[in-house]
Amino acid sequence: MVSSGKPVWAALSGGVDSATAAALLIRQGLRVEAVFMELWDCGLVERKERPTCCSPQDMKDAIRVADHLGIPFRSVNLRKAFQERVIGEFVDSYLKGRTPNPCIRCNQWIKYGLLLELALAQGAQAMATGHYARISNGVSGGALRLLRGKDPTKDQSYFLFPLGQDQLKRVLWPLGEMSKAIVRELAKEWGLPVAQKRESQEVCFLAGGSYRGFVRDYMGPAACSPGKIKDEKGVELGTHKGVWGFTVGQRRGLGVPWREPLYVLEVLPQKAEIIVGPRQSTFSRGLLACNASWVAGEPPARGFSCQVQIRYRHKAAQAWVDLLGDSRFQVTFFKPQPSITPGQAAVLYKGEEVLGGGWIEEPLKEP
């Protein structure tokens, strides 16, 4: 339980959600201090035509919010860690034929990792963000539960699955019970200077650009690694300039004229090959996942039924999960699912509760 004594760090992004979250906590009588993360330096690659993640304007907006609320403001430079961990893994994953989710990694390693650790080390009792998710007390004093946000169109629990009990005990999500419309109304009512600010819908450091352009700019000449595009039978249909330009399920931009729409089925970096086929070939009966984490600290059983979400906008599908050792699991869906993508997260739900999840290694085709 938080109290009015020690401060709560409110992580401000410069947007309306984090600003409203901070304002709500102040109205609850808590002592709130604002913090802004400096994450990405556009000087690391040639991207002068586009703004960066956590841009100077975002910082100015965060400062304006803190001034309006009358709370202290600090910025924390986490650029080195962000580049080495989040950006590094992002680029490396595409080069290895995987499709990463940098938002989950940023939450896991940066926001609820380094930033939360810094907050606690400097005397904060908790950290608040503008995420749409909820935390519930466990039954009879058991483990805290991570739940979907009440607004299904804004629920962000998928991006938070790696969080464990130590983090949940020190995290506040004031917007979890609210809809985006109500948040906007409150921001306007309270005169927050970012009440009308447009919402970002993309990976932050891409800043309006494509991931292909980012990887190409980041890697330079090393990104050029041509190869072949083949069908499921191994027949060559075309060529490509690098496997990093493709992701499983992709339909547009293949550069292969065909009598019917083709989709990327596999990305094979070791052979520098892209395998394509018709939509029906994108379906898989299950998947293998690695680096499993469990919100409660341990899985519910060695085998169990649940709903599995394989990307952010995917409707969680009923499945059976079997544990494979300590950190891997196999998912068998009751109905085959399309475009199961290596590198994405497989998040396990029991109703609205997040049980845990892992990182997709490969889809399982029909035997």
Side-chain angles (χ1 to χ4, degrees), residues 334-356:
F334 290 7
K335 294 182 179 179
Q337 298 297 306
S339 302
I340 297 176
T341 307
Q344 288 286 290
V347 180
L348 315 181
Y349 289 86
K350 182 179 181 181
E352 62 180 2
E353 180 181 0
V354 178
L355 301 176

Side-chain angles (χ1 to χ4, degrees), residues 132-134 146-151 155-158 176 307 309 314-316 349 351-354:
Y132 289 83
R134 296 174 292 153
L146 169 56
L147 307 179
R148 289 188 183 274
K150 276 290 188 181
D151 183 347
D155 168 49
Q156 293 171 309
S157 60
Y158 177 84
Q307 301 84 48
Q309 188 170 333
H314 173 252
K315 183 178 180 181
Y349 289 86
E352 62 180 2
E353 180 181 0
V354 178

Side-chain angles (χ1 to χ4, degrees), residues 67-87:
D67 287 344
H68 179 83
L69 296 175
I71 59 177
F73 175 89
R74 61 165 58 84
S75 65
V76 177
N77 188 335
L78 298 173
R79 290 177 180 177
K80 186 174 185 293
F82 187 79
Q83 182 195 358
E84 291 177 351
R85 305 213 64 182
V86 179
I87 301 291

Side-chain angles (χ1 to χ4, degrees), residues 195-212:
Q196 301 289 352
K197 188 172 181 178
R198 189 173 63 178
E199 185 176 12
S200 174
Q201 298 289 341
E202 59 192 12
V203 175
C204 54
F205 57 84
L206 297 184
S210 71
Y211 83 84
R212 296 177 183 86

Side-chain angles (χ1 to χ4, degrees), residues 226-230 234 240 243 246 266-275:
K228 297 178 180 180
I229 299 176
K230 297 182 177 182
H240 64 80
V243 296
F246 299 86
E266 292 183 88
V267 180
L268 305 175
Q270 293 181 337
K271 297 180 179 181
E273 291 180 355
I274 305 299
I275 309 301

Side-chain angles (χ1 to χ4, degrees), residues 57-73:
Q57 183 57 54
D58 289 328
M59 180 182 284
K60 289 178 182 178
D61 288 339
I63 292 172
R64 290 168 60 211
V65 168
D67 287 344
H68 179 83
L69 296 175
I71 59 177
F73 175 89

Side-chain angles (χ1 to χ4, degrees), residues 99-120:
T99 303
N101 193 311
C103 297
I104 296 177
R105 290 307 198 186
C106 183
N107 284 332
Q108 179 182 9
W109 292 330
I110 308 299
K111 185 171 291 181
Y112 298 102
L114 294 178
L115 186 64
L116 179 57
E117 290 171 7
L118 181 62
L120 299 177

Side-chain angles (χ1 to χ4, degrees), residues 101-353:
N101 193 311
C103 297
I104 296 177
R105 290 307 198 186
C106 183
N107 284 332
Q108 179 182 9
W109 292 330
I110 308 299
K111 185 171 291 181
Y112 298 102
L114 294 178
L115 186 64
L116 179 57
E117 290 171 7
L118 181 62
L120 299 177
Q122 296 197 11
Q125 61 176 319
M127 186 179 76
T129 68
H131 280 105
Y132 289 83
R134 296 174 292 153
I135 299 171
S136 172
N137 291 326
V139 178
S140 301
L144 294 172
R145 301 163 68 219
L146 169 56
L147 307 179
R148 289 188 183 274
K150 276 290 188 181
D151 183 347
T153 67
K154 291 297 299 177
D155 168 49
Q156 293 171 309
S157 60
Y158 177 84
F159 298 108
L160 301 166
F161 86 87
L163 302 191
Q165 293 297 298
D166 289 343
Q167 289 133 318
L168 294 183
K169 292 174 184 176
R170 299 292 187 174
V171 168
L172 300 175
W173 293 320
L175 308 186
E177 298 284 348
M178 298 181 178
S179 68
K180 182 71 176 194
I182 291 177
V183 169
R184 286 280 187 193
E185 289 176 9
L186 290 176
K188 293 176 186 177
E189 178 184 335
W190 296 335
L192 297 180
V194 293
Q196 301 289 352
K197 188 172 181 178
R198 189 173 63 178
E199 185 176 12
S200 174
Q201 298 289 341
E202 59 192 12
V203 175
C204 54
F205 57 84
L206 297 184
S210 71
Y211 83 84
R212 296 177 183 86
F214 183 90
V215 173
R216 183 182 59 247
D217 292 346
Y218 192 93
M219 293 298 297
C224 185
S225 180
K228 297 178 180 180
I229 299 176
K230 297 182 177 182
D231 67 12
E232 296 173 272
K233 296 181 179 180
V235 177
E236 182 177 342
L237 304 180
T239 60
H240 64 80
K241 296 181 179 180
V243 296
W244 48 266
F246 299 86
T247 183
V248 170
Q250 177 182 333
R251 181 172 72 87
R252 299 184 183 277
L254 302 185
V256 177
W258 202 247
R259 58 182 174 268
E260 62 179 326
L262 294 176
Y263 297 78
V264 174
L265 305 180
E266 292 183 88
V267 180
L268 305 175
Q270 293 181 337
K271 297 180 179 181
E273 291 180 355
I274 305 299
I275 309 301
V276 298
R279 186 175 187 276
Q280 61 264 30
S281 295
T282 67
F283 285 81
S284 303
R285 64 182 179 87
L287 61 88
L288 293 176
C290 61
N291 297 325
S293 61
W294 306 100
V295 175
E298 59 184 12
R302 299 298 300 179
F304 56 93
S305 178
C306 66
Q307 301 84 48
V308 181
Q309 188 170 333
I310 56 174
R311 52 187 164 269
Y312 178 44
R313 291 302 184 187
H314 173 252
K315 183 178 180 181
Q318 196 68 35
W320 182 264
V321 174
D322 287 301
L323 301 191
L324 304 175
D326 294 332
S327 62
R328 299 175 73 240
F329 59 82
Q330 176 176 313
V331 172
T332 304
F333 290 105
F334 290 7
K335 294 182 179 179
Q337 298 297 306
S339 302
I340 297 176
T341 307
Q344 288 286 290
V347 180
L348 315 181
Y349 289 86
K350 182 179 181 181
E352 62 180 2
E353 180 181 0

